[in-house]
Amino acid sequence: MTKTIEKAPKPLTQENKNFPIFNELANKEHEQIVICSDPDTGLKAIIAIHNTTLGPALGGTRMWNYETEEAAIKDVLRLSRGMTYKAAISGLNLGGGKAVIIGDPHTEKTEALFRSFGRFVDGLGGRYITAEDVGMTEKEMEWIYSETKYVTGIPKALGGSGNPSPVTAYGVYMGVKACAQKAYGNDSLEGKKIALQGAGNVASYFARHAAKEGAELFICDIYDEKAKTLAEEVGGKLVDPNSIYGLDVDIFTPCALGGVINDDTMDEFKCDIIAGGANNVLDEEDKHGQMLLDKGIIYAPDYVINAGGIINIASELEGYNEKRAMQNAGNIYTTITDILNYSEEHGIPAHKASNDLAEKRIETVGKIKNKYSSNASISGRLGGVYKRFND
Ligand code: NAD
């Protein structure tokens, strides 16, 4: 239907000028958000692009039954910003983005909805590259992929990288070793007592690496059977999930859920190191990060040590090679070492050190982009780096 503009829009009032969405974007320095609406399929999605200084914004799509639209916007802004830091500290040529689809992941999934979403992603022409996140499965990613090439983390059968957990776990293992080097002057895990929270994907692969090196593992899961099976496989001990924080161990490796370093657990820890795969482990980042520093516990920032997942899907963009993805995840050792040294030098918590180093990389790499490059001018920010999109 053709719409006629009957009169010129009203000038902005002070109230309109302060429309909170622009304040939100400006506060956390986001570049763009895209509201995707398709009533025919029921699609309601929001794509947030936080920062593309280092490259196209990469981040998963989450499907969640948000209570309000505001909650969805806040979540996508928070998550996309986190992706900028994660990509930057991991040395990737990628920016930070994220998408959320508002809806019940158990009852509202249809082929048309995800294909419609794929078209919106495609319309961004590669400024945003999506991947799987909470509430999504391979099936939906395949639907999205049928409408856009700007998808990563696709199944192996389609030429993608498949399950990221082995690479994530290897990165966690190398990050734990970097912490051991800092704490003990030796990165061997032989004879080290490790409390492992969770016996899922990441925990299981991690446990195999650590056990092979001679670590003594204490394993728990809310599903006892899972923990028992893993403990038997790696020669570890089964422990109660409620007693995991206070165990007399060298290392605590959270691989289950977020928020586990909090006011209630803080006094229980007797370990020298906290380093694991779980996301958002500090309940209140600044408060609990500082408390760990004050207690003299070495902490590997979660988003750095668990970056094997994003490193894996970033490798896919260059033409996936598992060996190379593992090697890149192995670099988490050096990244964690740099962060711990910076944290010590500046007397600041590790998560702050990591944020500082990520911002420095964005700033310094951003500056070199002021210079003319024929490569950049021909193929834009993808600049020949991402083979898959240039084929
Ligand atoms: P998973 O679901 O395979 O494993 C999680 C395990 O934790 C499950 O077995 C679950 O029963 C257990 N668990 C839940 N609550 C628990 C509790 N209170 N105490 C003990 N065990 C509990 O998940 P995963 O893929 O192994 O991921 C683990 C963590 O790592 C998550 O926080 C995830 O966000 C993060 N992470 C995973 C990847 C990846 O590649 N899979 C990448 C980055 C971050």
Side-chain angles (χ1 to χ4, degrees):
M1 196 176 77
T2 323
K3 284 182 187 158
T4 46
I5 300 171
E6 288 168 357
K7 53 186 174 182
K10 283 184 193 159
L12 288 179
T13 60
Q14 194 55 39
E15 196 185 337
N16 284 335
K17 277 182 190 156
N18 292 335
F19 185 56
I21 192 66
F22 285 104
N23 288 348
E24 287 280 332
L25 296 184
N27 280 345
K28 297 202 174 71
E29 301 177 325
H30 286 78
E31 290 179 12
Q32 182 181 12
I33 64 168
V34 182
I35 310 277
C36 316
S37 167
D38 181 5
D40 287 341
T41 62
L43 176 74
K44 286 184 191 169
I46 307 159
I47 300 169
I49 295 176
H50 178 253
N51 186 301
T52 57
T53 305
L54 298 175
L58 175 78
T61 295
R62 175 170 292 198
M63 185 168 189
W64 197 254
N65 216 354
Y66 291 99
E67 281 190 1
T68 62
E69 289 168 8
E70 190 181 335
I73 292 176
K74 283 196 168 150
D75 206 29
V76 78
L77 293 180
R78 176 181 69 84
L79 294 166
S80 56
R81 187 169 188 267
M83 292 307 293
T84 295
Y85 282 82
K86 188 166 190 149
I89 195 69
S90 305
L92 300 171
N93 292 317
L94 291 166
K98 203 87 184 181
V100 295
I101 295 178
I102 302 172
D104 187 334
H106 301 292
T107 57
E108 294 181 46
K109 286 181 173 175
T110 63
E111 177 185 357
L113 184 143
F114 290 101
R115 292 185 70 151
S116 174
F117 175 69
R119 293 211 148 218
F120 281 100
V121 172
D122 203 59
L124 287 167
R127 260 176 72 67
Y128 169 65
I129 302 169
T130 195
E132 191 178 321
D133 198 72
V134 174
M136 301 285 283
T137 69
E138 274 189 5
K139 191 167 147 200
E140 292 88 62
M141 297 317 295
E142 282 186 37
W143 283 329
I144 296 171
Y145 186 53
S146 63
E147 297 297 336
T148 181
K149 60 187 173 182
Y150 301 116
V151 182
T152 188
I154 53 176
K156 277 200 165 144
L158 294 175
S161 55
N163 177 11
S165 302
V167 183
T168 303
Y170 182 64
V172 171
Y173 163 66
M174 294 304 283
V176 168
K177 283 175 73 64
C179 293
Q181 177 68 39
K182 187 79 187 167
Y184 311 118
N186 179 338
D187 72 8
S188 171
L189 299 185
E190 190 178 0
K192 291 284 177 282
K193 291 186 173 145
I194 302 180
L196 182 57
Q197 185 179 42
N201 282 309
V202 175
S204 300
Y205 286 104
F206 168 82
R208 289 173 199 130
H209 289 297
K212 206 167 159 192
E213 211 180 309
E216 203 182 325
L217 288 151
F218 299 81
I219 303 172
C220 77
D221 198 288
I222 42 169
Y223 297 103
D224 261 2
E225 253 333 284
K226 252 175 137 173
K228 192 165 164 253
T229 308
L230 182 62
E232 276 168 11
E233 183 195 327
V234 299
K237 290 192 183 69
L238 176 69
V239 292
D240 184 296
N242 296 318
S243 66
I244 193 86
Y245 306 107
L247 291 181
D248 195 1
V249 293
D250 304 299
I251 301 165
F252 171 61
T253 298
C255 285
L257 68 167
V260 296
I261 302 168
N262 55 43
D263 286 346
D264 295 334
T265 57
M266 187 61 74
D267 287 340
E268 290 196 45
F269 293 117
K270 298 188 186 78
C271 53
D272 305 312
I273 294 167
I274 297 183
N279 272 318
N280 307 319
V281 287
L282 298 175
D283 188 31
E284 291 174 55
E285 204 171 56
D286 288 340
K287 178 180 176 187
H288 297 117
Q290 183 65 47
M291 283 169 100
L292 289 180
L293 182 72
D294 296 343
K295 274 173 80 90
I297 294 178
I298 288 179
Y299 168 66
D302 47 9
Y303 75 90
V304 184
I305 193 168
N306 71 19
I310 189 180
I311 289 170
N312 196 47
I313 56 178
S315 305
E316 188 180 315
L317 301 176
E318 298 171 340
Y320 189 63
N321 176 312
E322 194 169 338
K323 203 168 155 208
R324 183 167 151 74
M326 281 290 187
Q327 271 170 359
N328 288 345
N331 292 339
I332 288 175
Y333 185 107
T334 315
T335 310
I336 295 286
T337 304
D338 291 345
I339 290 168
L340 296 178
N341 289 341
Y342 187 96
S343 153
E344 188 178 49
E345 263 168 47
H346 294 81
I348 56 172
H351 74 280
K352 280 209 166 119
S354 166
N355 291 351
D356 278 7
L357 290 172
E359 283 169 10
K360 275 185 192 197
R361 177 163 181 253
I362 294 170
E363 199 186 323
T364 48
V365 176
K367 279 187 185 154
I368 66 117
K369 297 207 176 197
N370 293 336
K371 295 176 189 67
Y372 173 77
S373 150
S374 59
N375 187 34
S377 70
I378 291 166
S379 40
R381 281 222 163 93
L382 293 178
V385 174
Y386 296 117
K387 184 173 167 289
R388 221 184 71 194
F389 299 152
N390 291 335
D391 284 346

